[in-house]
């Protein structure tokens, strides 16, 4: 099965590894929409993570369990604590890109993200709630976010 153009089996492996390593994470973005039943094509996974040293070490171990990549050793919590608070990771195989997010501007940090556990092919996954995704997308300037926000609002009967 694929989620958009993404390799669903590879995602499931990553979700299992995140759980096994006890990473504090929440899936947001198009993959979260897909897990809520609003599937659209994407080639990136957006992961909100707690930017602590120990959590990033667990995240790195989870990523390494799926992609043994020496470049992962260079990724640290300090990378997420800077001005931009987002690190992109492109695994050495496939078309997937992973955006690792600690903060979106001054509006959303890890502890602000409301999430729920959803089942993805038998794997429990921490996913932002529909209401949270709507709040994250409704006021941005990206046209795709406006489309996503409207779809979330309609499917989940969310207040504007």
């Amino acid at each position: 099965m694929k989620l958009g153009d993404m390799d669903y089996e590879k995602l499931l492996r990553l979700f299992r590894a995140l759980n096994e390593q006890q990473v504090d994470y929440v899936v947001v973005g198009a993959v979260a929409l897909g897990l809520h039943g609003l599937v659209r094509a994407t080639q990136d996974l957006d992961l909100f993570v707690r930017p602590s040293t120990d959590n990033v070490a667990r995240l790195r171990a989870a990523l390494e369990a799926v992609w043994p990549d020496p470049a992962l050793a260079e990724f640290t919590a300090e990378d997420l604590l800077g001005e931009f608070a987002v690190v992109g990771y492109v695994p050495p195989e496939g078309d997937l890109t992973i955006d690792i997010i600690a903060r979106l501007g001054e509006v959303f940090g890890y502890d602000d993200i409301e999430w729920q556990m959803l089942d993805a092919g038998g794997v429990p996954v921490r996913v932002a709630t529909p209401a949270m995704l709507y709040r994250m997308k409704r006021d941005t300037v990206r046209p795709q976010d406006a489309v996503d926000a409207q779809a979330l609002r309609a499917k989940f009967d969310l207040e504007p």
Side-chain angles (χ1 to χ4, degrees):
M1 176 193 269
K2 294 215 179 235
L3 184 60
D5 293 332
M6 204 175 294
D7 183 342
Y8 194 65
E9 291 304 316
K10 192 67 82 168
L11 277 180
L12 291 180
R13 284 182 56 207
L14 178 58
F15 294 149
R16 278 187 206 100
L18 291 167
N19 293 336
E20 288 167 4
Q21 293 296 325
Q22 300 179 350
V23 176
D24 291 330
Y25 77 94
V26 179
V27 176
V28 298
V31 172
L33 291 172
L35 291 168
H36 283 295
L38 295 169
V39 178
R40 72 168 169 82
T42 186
Q43 291 190 338
D44 76 327
L45 169 64
D46 297 316
L47 280 182
F48 238 98
V49 300
R50 182 178 308 284
S52 67
T53 301
D54 58 333
N55 194 57
V56 170
R58 292 190 305 267
L59 171 62
R60 206 171 39 245
L63 291 166
E64 288 171 345
V66 180
W67 298 282
D69 181 0
L72 286 167
E74 300 170 17
F75 172 51
T76 68
E78 288 74 29
D79 296 328
L80 293 171
L81 295 172
E83 181 180 349
F84 298 106
V86 177
V87 171
Y89 173 65
V90 180
E93 61 185 54
D95 296 329
L96 176 67
T97 299
I98 302 171
D99 290 327
I100 302 164
I101 307 162
R103 184 181 76 250
L104 289 176
E106 301 302 318
V107 182
F108 299 109
Y110 176 81
D111 290 325
D112 300 314
I113 306 300
E114 297 167 8
W115 59 273
Q116 64 189 99
M117 200 64 86
L118 293 180
D119 179 87
V123 179
V125 181
R126 292 180 185 186
V127 181
T129 65
M132 184 78 240
L133 291 166
Y134 177 70
R135 285 195 302 276
M136 293 174 82
K137 290 178 167 287
R138 71 178 172 200
D139 294 325
T140 70
V141 296
R142 283 184 48 206
Q144 184 60 59
D145 285 342
V147 171
D148 293 344
Q150 180 57 34
L152 284 159
R153 188 171 161 226
K155 179 171 179 156
F156 296 100
D157 195 30
L158 300 171
E159 294 295 321

